[in-house]
Structure formats: structure tokens, C-alpha cells
Amino acid sequence: MEFFADTAETKEIAELSDFGMIDGVTTNPSLIKKSGRDVFQVLEEICDIVDGPVSAEVVAVKSEDMVTEGRRLAQIATNIAVKVPLTLDGLKACKILSSEGKMVNVTLCFSSNQALLAAKAGATFISPFIGRLDDLGMNGMNLIEDIRVIYDNYAFETKILAASIRSPVHVSESALAGADVVTVPPAIIKKLAHHPLTDKGLQSFLADWDQTGMRIV
Ligand code: E4P
């Protein structure tokens, strides 16, 4: 499973990239706003740091305007994935942009029928929003499982990108459900490595080693 960082904070992206832990980045208009930076500047910087797909979202609502914005965003770098919303206009824009050879991430997916349409429109990625479904008392992970079955039934190549991830459990469950990619806020990526028994075990190994007086190098 690939890991994308769900952030527009370039410092955090550079730090995670140094650890070799991320395969791409997703941004959205809210994350760009949170960064407080110019959209083009920030996306250019991210694309310089990360070789994998960097999602950049259109903000138009009409398909022709989405296509114009998508083409402009795709000029930033060859690894830009144009993000369009899962509306009829978004699907139409997806079809056009993907037929031009651009990567397209269809976002704001909340049902398996929507995911089916995105695959038919040639999406590179479909982004089901797990956390936002859970927030409504639904089970977001069921959606990932359903999309996996549907895509496998028809050999669709669209990658399932689990989004709106709120906890480490969402990450492991996405992997179990067969998501191709999970996009995760940096704070949660760091939490994945932590376990109290790892810390405790390491402390006791190091304490014992100290008492041997030996050195490895
Ligand atoms: C990523 O592509 C999505 O925009 C993001 O995961 C949404 O997360 P949120 O529901 O926490 O805002």
C-alpha cells in the first residue's frame, strides 16, 4: 500500500520524505488555506520534494472551467494529479483530463456508485472519505471494502485512495480492506511507528547493554 501525506505543509512533507515514508501528497483548498501560502508556490515546492503524485484540487464547478484549471495546475509539474469533485461536472472533467494523459484524483466520494462512475470516467485515483462517513455514525471502512470488490469484479485500474483518515486504526483497516493508497495527516503517520511496548523493550535492552561495557563500533 502506498502512503501519501495529507497536508500542504512543506516542512512536514520534507521531514517525512527524509524518512523515506511517503509516496505522494494530497492537498485540498482547506489545506492550502491552512498553509497560508500561495497555491502555486506551495505546490511547486511540494513537487520538488516528492517524486510521486501530488494532488492539486480545482475550485471551479462547471466542467469546462475545471478542465481549464486542471490544465493550468498540471503545468506546475509532471507529477501533479488534478483533483476534481465527484459531481457530474467533475466526472466529465475527469474524462477529458484523463484522456489528455493527466493523472486525475476524483475526490469527495461517499458511495460505491460514485466510485463506479469515477472508474468509468478514467480516474487514476478515487478518494472515499472514511472519517467524514464515520462522523455521521456510518462505517466508512465498509465503503472501501465495497469499492474493492466492485473494482476487482471489473478489473478497473483506478486506485482506491483512502482519505479523511483520522487514526492509526483507519490506516490498518484500509490496508486490510485492500486500499491501494492511504493519505494520512503527518501527525498520524508518525503515530504509526509508536508502541509503548517497543519503547519499554528498547529501554530495557539498552540498560542491559550498558552494563556489559561492550561497544559495537
Ligand atoms: C484528501 O484528499 C482529503 O481532502 C482529506 O483526506 C480530507 O480529510 P478531512 O475529512 O479530515 O478534511
Side-chain angles (χ1 to χ4, degrees):
M1 185 171 67
E2 289 179 299
F3 269 77
F4 289 179
D6 197 18
T7 181
E9 305 298 328
T10 49
K11 263 192 189 163
E12 290 180 320
I13 293 167
E15 189 192 349
L16 289 167
S17 179
D18 280 349
F19 282 114
M21 278 198 293
I22 52 167
D23 305 295
V25 171
T26 51
T27 67
N28 63 36
S30 305
L31 292 171
I32 297 288
K33 178 186 166 214
K34 196 171 158 205
S35 78
R37 303 193 47 211
D38 174 75
V39 61
F40 288 100
Q41 246 178 26
V42 80
L43 287 168
E44 272 165 29
E45 265 181 48
I46 295 172
C47 290
D48 277 346
I49 302 169
V50 175
D51 292 333
V54 173
S55 288
E57 191 158 341
V58 302
V59 287
V61 289
K62 293 271 173 228
S63 60
E64 55 271 28
D65 299 331
M66 288 184 196
V67 170
T68 305
E69 287 186 358
R71 287 178 182 147
R72 174 64 190 95
L73 290 168
Q75 282 171 354
I76 295 174
T78 50
N79 55 332
I80 286 284
V82 179
K83 216 176 181 194
V84 299
L86 213 157
T87 58
L88 285 175
D89 278 278
L91 291 169
K92 194 173 168 192
C94 173
K95 186 102 193 157
I96 295 168
L97 291 165
S98 57
S99 71
E100 291 174 0
K102 296 174 177 59
M103 287 188 285
V104 182
N105 176 357
V106 180
T107 190
L108 290 166
C109 171
F110 295 96
S111 79
S112 46
N113 279 335
Q114 287 182 316
L116 186 52
L117 291 176
K120 288 184 73 66
T124 316
F125 301 102
I126 180 69
S127 291
F129 276 35
I130 307 309
R132 292 192 194 189
L133 282 169
D134 287 0
D135 290 345
L136 293 184
M138 300 171 82
N139 185 341
M141 210 47 66
N142 288 348
L143 178 57
I144 302 283
E145 290 163 4
D146 289 352
I147 299 173
R148 182 72 282 154
V149 172
I150 291 169
Y151 280 10
D152 288 349
N153 280 350
Y154 298 98
F156 283 124
E157 285 177 6
T158 301
K159 288 185 172 180
I160 302 173
L161 194 172
S164 189
I165 295 293
R166 303 275 162 79
S167 69
V169 172
H170 274 161
V171 177
S172 50
E173 287 185 346
S174 295
L176 284 167
D180 299 289
V181 191
V182 69
T183 188
V184 191
I188 297 177
I189 295 185
K190 288 180 191 162
K191 274 191 196 167
L192 299 180
H194 287 141
H195 197 288
L197 289 178
T198 305
D199 297 341
K200 197 175 162 206
L202 181 60
Q203 229 176 5
S204 108
F205 285 157
L206 294 181
D208 285 345
W209 183 253
D210 265 355
Q211 289 175 18
T212 69
M214 291 188 277
R215 291 172 66 96
I216 292 177
V217 285

